[in-house]
Amino acid sequence: MFSAFASTAAAEVSLPVPSGQPVQLENVLLDNNPGELWVRFRFIAPRIGSTVGRIGYDVAAIDMNHLCQSLVIPYVAKHALDPARVIVSLSDRSVEFGRSDPEATQFFEAYRLENTRCIWEEF
């Protein structure tokens, strides 16, 4: 079961990240399907990709960690959530959750939250 939290207005604001690329919050999903609460923060980052001139995973991972620390931690506290995992994803275009788009570039990171810190978790 999913529920969404982000508003359309929030999705229009570009968020600052270390790479300087434009990043916008698309939505936040609460997912209980893994048997525990996972909160999924889905961002649009149109400059990511694997071709020359695009922002690759190595740089995008730094941005995802920054988003976890600067946006996820306060968001979870504000909404009194206690997730087992947080997933931060970047996509170069909007892709409906659970759908496949072979043309899209998507990067994902998983974290557990501990003492107001994002701790990277291997998938």
Side-chain angles (χ1 to χ4, degrees), residues 36-67:
E36 56 193 3
L37 179 61
W38 286 28
V39 183
R40 299 174 185 275
F41 290 79
R42 302 177 73 223
F43 297 91
I44 301 295
R47 292 183 46 209
I48 64 170
S50 59
T51 58
V52 173
R54 307 296 280 172
I55 292 175
Y57 174 79
D58 56 339
V59 173
I62 295 166
D63 288 348
M64 287 185 282
N65 188 61
H66 173 79
L67 289 165

Side-chain angles (χ1 to χ4, degrees), residues 14-115:
S14 187
L15 302 165
V17 292
S19 71
Q21 70 172 311
V23 174
Q24 296 176 329
L25 179 62
E26 181 175 30
N27 57 33
V28 177
L29 301 174
L30 304 182
D31 182 2
N32 286 310
N33 272 342
E36 56 193 3
L37 179 61
W38 286 28
V39 183
R40 299 174 185 275
F41 290 79
R42 302 177 73 223
F43 297 91
I44 301 295
R47 292 183 46 209
I48 64 170
S50 59
T51 58
V52 173
R54 307 296 280 172
I55 292 175
Y57 174 79
D58 56 339
V59 173
I62 295 166
D63 288 348
M64 287 185 282
N65 188 61
H66 173 79
L67 289 165
C68 190
Q69 287 297 143
S70 66
L71 185 130
V72 170
I73 295 288
Y75 186 100
V76 166
K78 178 181 177 181
H79 293 282
L81 300 171
D82 186 23
R85 292 288 176 275
V86 168
I87 307 298
V88 175
S89 65
L90 300 180
S91 181
D92 67 344
R93 67 195 75 195
S94 183
V95 176
E96 184 179 336
F97 184 78
R99 298 278 180 168
S100 176
D101 181 347
E103 300 298 315
T105 298
Q106 296 180 303
F107 299 138
F108 301 86
E109 286 292 3
Y111 301 90
R112 76 178 187 282
L113 305 184
E114 190 174 290
N115 299 324

